[in-house]
Amino acid sequence: MSASFDWQQRAAHQQTREKTSGTKFWPPNDSKLLEAVKEALHWNPRQRTLPFFDFTLSQQAADHNFEILKRENFELERLLLTDGLSPLMPGSEFRPVTLLEPIFDGHPFWPRLRRSLLIGATMDLEAITEDQRHRLLDEALSYGNHKSAATFSDQLLPSLEKEVKKGWHLPLPISRLHEIPEIVAGPMGAVPQKALGGQGDDATKVRMTHDQSFNYDLKDVKSVNQRVLAASLSKCLYGHTMKRITHALVAIRWRHPLVAILISKLDYKSAFRRLHLRALAALRSVLTTIGLMENPVALASLRVTFGGRPSPTSFAELSESVTDLANALVRCTLWNPNEIRPSHSTLLGEPKYEDESIPFGQARKLLVKPETDDLGLIDVFLDDIISVFPALSDENVDRCTLAALLAMEVTSRPRLKFEILPRDDMLAIDKAHAEATPAEVAIVLGWLVNTRKLIMSLPDDKHQAWKGELTAMLDKANKNYRITTRPSKPSSADYNTQHSYSRKVATS
C-alpha cells in the first residue's frame, strides 16, 4: 500500500541472490556500473569507411548495386558484415558491444539487443514456397504504392532521397528483382502528422509507411507481417507507459503534497532507423518508387521499417534497456552529475514552474505500489523517454533531468565531425529544445499533464480535432439513419395513447 519503492533494498537483494546462486542480475553494483559507464564514455570512434554500394536514388545506382550483389552470389549478409567500420555494419549507430556488455550484462533484453547490434534485427517468418513468393512480388510490382504515396509524392520523394543518402535503403533495379533470392516487396504509404518544432510550435510533416501487412488479396499467400512468428517477439512493455507515469505522479504527490513535480522528455531522432535489419530481413522489406519517379527503382530497407510487425519490439529492446540504465544511474550513489555530465546538458533551460498562487492538487493513497521514490520515475514509450520527479532541491532536479541524457549518450556512438554518410545526433535536438527542460506542465504521449493541479486533459488542438471527427461521424450516422428509416403508419392503439397523453398535458 506504500507509495514509496525502495530501489536500494532491491539492488542489495539482487546482489545477494547473485552471490548465492551464481546467476547474473541487473543492474550491477554502483562501482561496477559507474566504471563501465566511464569506460564507454572515454571511447573515441574511428572514422567510418566508404561503402561499396551506391546510395543515390537513381537507376544507375540501382544497376551498380545489383551487379555487386550478383558478383558476390547475392550474399548480402556477408557483404554487410565485411567491413567493421562501414556505416552499413549492424550496430554502427551505437558504442561497441564490448563496451555495452559490462553495462547491460544480466539485463533481460541484453541477449536480444546484443544480437541486433552484432548482426541486425531479425524477422522470423513462416515459410512460403518460391512460387508464392514470386506471385507476391508480381502483385507488388503490378499494384505499385498506395494512393496516399502519390498524393504526397512532392514531400515523400525528397524524404526518400535523404534516407537513401544516409544508407537506410539500398537501391536496386525493379527489372532484376526476380533474380534476387528472398525478395519480398510491400507498398508505400504516407501519413500527414503534426510534429513539434524547436520553439514548441506545431508543424505538419508527412511520415512514410511501409505496409508489410498488405497481401494484395492473395487468398493462399500471407503477407510478411502475417507470417511473423509471434513467439519470436519480445514482450511489449510500452503499452502501459501512461498508466505507470500516472501512478508515479500520484505516488510522488502523496509523499510530497506541497512539492512541485517536474516532467522532462527526450526523443530519439529517427528512432527505428538507428537499428540495422539483418540482411535476410532487409531483402524481405523492399519497397518501390512506382508512381513517384519517371524511372522507378526498388529499395531494400537496411534499417528497421515503419510498418514491420517486429519493428516496435525490436526498437523497444534498445529504448527499454536505455531507460532502465537511466533509472539505475539516477540512483547510483557514486555518480556526480557535476563530474560526469552529458554533452547535451547545455540544451536544458531553467525549470519551468507554475505560479505559486496556484494550489497543489492533492492525491489519494494508491492501491498499487509504483516503482518510484524521491528520485521519481523514468519511463519510455518506444522513442520517447519521460522523466517525472519531485523538485526537492536544485541538485535533485539536476540529477533527475540529466540521467536519461547520460544513458542515451553512454549507449550511442558520438557523431563524428565528418560522417562518410549523412548522420544526425541520436538525440532529437529540435524536440529537446522544446521539451527537455523540466516543467510542471507538459504534453506527455498526446495528453496535457498539469502536475501542479494533478490534472490530465486533451490539448486544445487535439480536443478540436476529436470534436470535429466525432461531430462528422454522428452527422453521417444520423444522415444514414434518416435515409434507411421510413416512418410506419401508427396503429389505433398508438394513436389513442398519443392523444390521451396530449390531453393530460393540456389539462394539467
Side-chain angles (χ1 to χ4, degrees):
M1 297 287 289
S2 171
S4 174
F5 186 87
D6 195 333
W7 287 82
Q8 298 298 332
Q9 183 180 0
R10 183 175 75 169
H13 178 60
Q14 286 186 353
Q15 289 168 23
T16 302
R17 290 175 64 195
E18 188 170 319
K19 289 178 181 179
T20 56
S21 67
T23 304
K24 286 186 179 293
F25 290 91
W26 197 90
N29 63 53
D30 287 358
S31 178
K32 288 182 180 179
L33 178 63
L34 192 63
E35 189 60 34
V37 165
K38 286 180 178 178
E39 188 173 352
L41 290 173
H42 287 160
W43 174 72
N44 290 315
R46 294 168 60 186
Q47 183 61 51
R48 304 292 104 175
T49 56
L50 185 67
F52 32 77
F53 288 121
D54 187 343
F55 288 100
T56 55
L57 191 59
S58 67
Q59 187 65 51
Q60 183 179 359
D63 292 336
H64 168 81
N65 296 334
F66 177 83
E67 291 304 322
I68 293 177
L69 278 176
K70 184 178 180 181
R71 186 176 67 234
E72 300 297 328
N73 200 30
F74 299 107
E75 296 181 16
L76 179 60
E77 179 152 317
R78 182 171 59 81
L79 287 169
L80 295 179
L81 299 179
T82 296
D83 186 357
L85 290 176
S86 169
L88 306 186
M89 183 76 176
S92 63
E93 295 273 3
F94 303 92
R95 295 181 191 263
V97 166
T98 52
L99 293 174
L100 297 179
E101 188 130 37
I103 297 174
F104 290 110
D105 191 22
H107 191 285
F109 278 149
W110 177 241
R112 300 175 67 96
L113 177 57
R114 185 179 187 275
R115 181 183 63 177
S116 293
L117 296 178
L118 289 174
I119 62 174
T122 58
M123 187 183 290
D124 298 326
L125 306 179
E126 296 176 15
I128 58 174
T129 66
E130 276 296 283
D131 176 67
Q132 288 175 320
R133 186 180 67 81
H134 281 287
R135 285 168 52 208
L136 197 60
L137 183 55
D138 287 336
E139 289 293 330
L141 300 182
S142 174
Y143 178 88
N145 291 303
H146 291 319
K147 292 180 180 179
S148 59
T151 301
F152 295 101
S153 61
D154 56 334
Q155 294 170 264
L156 207 56
L157 197 56
S159 177
L160 272 177
E161 289 176 337
K162 290 179 181 178
E163 294 197 357
V164 171
K165 286 180 180 178
K166 292 178 178 180
W168 297 354
H169 305 285
L170 179 65
L172 295 168
I174 289 177
S175 60
R176 311 296 293 273
L177 287 183
H178 283 86
E179 300 177 44
I180 305 175
E182 300 292 345
I183 285 281
V184 179
M188 180 169 39
V191 180
Q193 60 179 197
K194 284 193 173 181
L196 195 63
Q199 304 301 320
D201 54 322
D202 289 331
T204 301
K205 69 175 185 179
V206 172
R207 181 183 289 276
M208 185 198 78
T209 61
H210 189 166
D211 190 353
Q212 295 183 269
S213 297
F214 203 66
N215 74 337
Y216 309 97
D217 294 328
L218 293 174
K219 295 181 180 180
D220 62 330
V221 184
K222 293 182 179 179
S223 67
V224 167
N225 282 348
Q226 289 170 332
R227 292 193 288 132
V228 170
L229 301 175
S232 68
L233 304 178
S234 58
K235 185 179 180 181
C236 173
L237 300 178
Y238 60 85
H240 295 287
T241 300
M242 198 66 208
K243 185 185 293 184
R244 292 193 297 268
I245 289 173
T246 304
H247 285 158
L249 290 171
V250 174
I252 294 170
R253 178 53 50 80
W254 173 258
R255 289 191 74 190
H256 303 287
L258 299 177
V259 175
I261 303 173
L262 298 176
I263 300 175
S264 173
K265 296 189 339 180
L266 304 175
D267 286 77
Y268 278 90
K269 176 75 172 178
S270 307
F272 286 12
R273 304 304 201 195
R274 301 300 184 153
L275 276 180
H276 292 70
L277 282 175
R278 191 170 184 176
L280 181 57
L283 293 173
R284 292 168 169 174
S285 303
V286 172
L287 48 84
T288 74
T289 60
I290 294 174
L292 304 181
M293 296 174 61
E294 185 176 349
N295 296 309
V297 298
L299 299 171
S301 299
L302 300 181
R303 305 293 180 101
V304 169
T305 64
F306 291 106
R309 184 181 174 189
S311 299
T313 53
S314 294
F315 186 80
E317 290 162 7
L318 167 72
S319 61
E320 295 280 355
S321 301
V322 172
T323 303
D324 288 342
L325 174 59
N327 276 303
L329 282 171
V330 78
R331 292 169 177 84
C332 177
T333 56
L334 300 179
W335 172 47
N336 184 344
N338 293 320
E339 295 176 0
I340 304 176
R341 201 168 184 87
S343 57
H344 286 310
S345 61
T346 54
L347 297 174
L348 303 175
E350 291 295 318
K352 300 175 182 178
Y353 295 100
E354 295 299 286
D355 194 293
E356 292 183 357
S357 64
I358 300 174
F360 289 106
Q362 294 305 304
R364 295 183 180 181
K365 196 170 186 178
L366 289 167
L367 295 176
V368 295
K369 189 175 182 179
E371 294 192 4
T372 185
D373 52 17
D374 285 350
L375 294 168
L377 174 71
I378 304 173
D379 214 321
V380 63
F381 185 89
L382 284 178
D383 58 341
D384 296 348
I385 300 180
I386 304 134
S387 304
V388 297
F389 49 88
L392 296 174
S393 65
D394 291 343
E395 292 76 13
N396 200 69
V397 171
D398 198 41
R399 186 179 194 84
C400 295
T401 307
L402 296 178
L405 266 178
L406 183 59
M408 285 186 70
E409 186 167 332
V410 166
T411 50
S412 309
R413 174 170 73 83
R415 189 181 181 192
L416 299 169
K417 289 183 179 180
F418 173 73
E419 293 280 356
I420 203 72
L421 294 179
R423 178 175 179 262
D424 297 313
D425 282 293
M426 190 68 72
L427 176 69
I429 302 295
D430 54 344
K431 290 187 176 181
H433 276 297
E435 301 179 319
T437 295
E440 285 188 276
V441 178
I443 294 179
V444 179
L445 304 182
W447 292 94
L448 182 63
V449 179
N450 187 320
T451 64
R452 192 172 191 89
K453 296 180 178 180
L454 214 61
I455 289 175
M456 185 182 300
S457 60
L458 282 176
D460 288 340
D461 59 338
K462 184 169 286 188
H463 172 260
Q464 293 300 326
W466 285 23
K467 181 180 177 181
E469 290 174 4
L470 287 170
T471 301
M473 182 176 67
L474 291 172
D475 287 345
K476 184 177 180 180
N478 288 334
K479 182 179 179 181
N480 291 338
Y481 177 80
R482 288 194 296 270
I483 292 174
T484 57
T485 305
R486 295 289 184 271
S488 57
K489 185 176 180 180
S491 65
S492 57
D494 292 334
Y495 180 84
N496 291 333
T497 300
Q498 178 183 351
H499 282 263
S500 174
Y501 174 76
S502 302
R503 284 195 296 271
K504 289 179 181 177
V505 172
T507 303
S508 62

